[in-house]
């Protein structure tokens, strides 16, 4: 179903790890660690500045992968993994993009399931990879039928 999309990427989109957004995100996930919001704590840390929570990249804009058609409802979030080369620093600019990494299918008791694997990547201004977030989207039989109509 999506095999022809493997390898497609979006254009890079500039994002900023904005201090206020990091503080609100930390509050929303219930993580009170002052490394995310208190400037003095950040200065005294091993990083010398504030960092963002590990799941913060969920809020970034990764652009649009041209030609990738996903339904607006009915998709199932299967799993997600984050890999970091280093933490995200508050105030830094990142260039983010999405890439279709894989698509495979498995037969289940609920019918044929599709598994679409998408990587969201963030690089610094020099093109150095800072993080990758890999998500698996599950496409069930009902969604598959609705897509073919």
């Amino acid at each position: 179903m999506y095999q022809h999309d493997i390898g497609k990427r979006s254009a890079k989109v500039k994002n900023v790890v904005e201090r206020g957004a990091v503080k609100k995100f930390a509050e929303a996930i219930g993580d009170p660690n002052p490394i995310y919001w208190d400037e003095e704590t950040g200065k005294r840390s091993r990083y010398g500045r504030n960092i963002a929570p590990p799941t913060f990249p969920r809020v970034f804009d990764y652009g649009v992968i041209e030609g990738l058609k996903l339904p607006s409802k009915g998709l199932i979030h299967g799993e997600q993994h984050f890999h970091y080369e280093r933490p995200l620093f508050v105030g830094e600019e990142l260039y983010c993009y999405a890439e279709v990494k894989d698509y495979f299918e498995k037969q289940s008791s609920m019918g044929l399931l599709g598994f679409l694997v998408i990587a969201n990547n963030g690089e610094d201004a020099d093109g150095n990879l800072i993080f990758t977030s890999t998500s698996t989207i599950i496409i069930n039989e009902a969604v598959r039928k609705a897509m073919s109509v």
Side-chain angles (χ1 to χ4, degrees), residues 93-120:
E93 294 178 351
L94 296 173
Y95 296 85
C96 301
Y97 61 95
E99 179 180 8
V100 179
K101 297 301 277 185
D102 197 8
Y103 178 77
F104 57 94
E105 297 176 336
K106 290 184 180 182
Q107 190 65 42
S108 77
S109 60
M110 300 183 319
L112 188 63
L113 298 176
F115 296 83
L116 181 63
V117 181
I118 297 183
N120 291 324

Side-chain angles (χ1 to χ4, degrees), residues 7-126:
K8 286 184 179 179
R9 288 182 168 191
S10 65
K12 292 180 183 178
V13 178
K14 181 178 167 183
N15 288 266
V16 177
V17 183
E18 199 273 326
R19 179 173 300 282
V22 168
K23 184 176 182 182
K24 287 179 184 177
F25 188 88
E27 289 170 354
I29 63 172
D31 190 339
N33 193 327
I35 189 70
Y36 304 134
W37 55 269
D38 182 70
E39 290 186 57
E40 286 305 313
T41 299
K43 287 177 186 174
R44 290 191 314 269
S45 76
R46 64 181 170 168
Y47 308 112
R49 57 187 130 173
N50 295 109
I51 61 173
T55 55
F56 188 75
R58 293 285 299 149
V59 305
F60 290 148
D61 180 357
Y62 295 93
V64 175
I65 299 173
E66 294 296 324
L68 182 64
K69 305 289 186 215
L70 291 173
S72 59
K73 59 183 177 176
L75 298 175
I76 301 168
H77 180 77
E79 66 180 12
Q80 187 163 13
H81 299 277
F82 292 87
H83 174 78
Y84 284 88
E85 297 300 321
R86 64 160 174 79
L88 300 178
F89 301 125
V90 169
E92 78 175 315
E93 294 178 351
L94 296 173
Y95 296 85
C96 301
Y97 61 95
E99 179 180 8
V100 179
K101 297 301 277 185
D102 197 8
Y103 178 77
F104 57 94
E105 297 176 336
K106 290 184 180 182
Q107 190 65 42
S108 77
S109 60
M110 300 183 319
L112 188 63
L113 298 176
F115 296 83
L116 181 63
V117 181
I118 297 183
N120 291 324
N121 304 291
E123 299 176 349
D124 65 15
D126 296 325

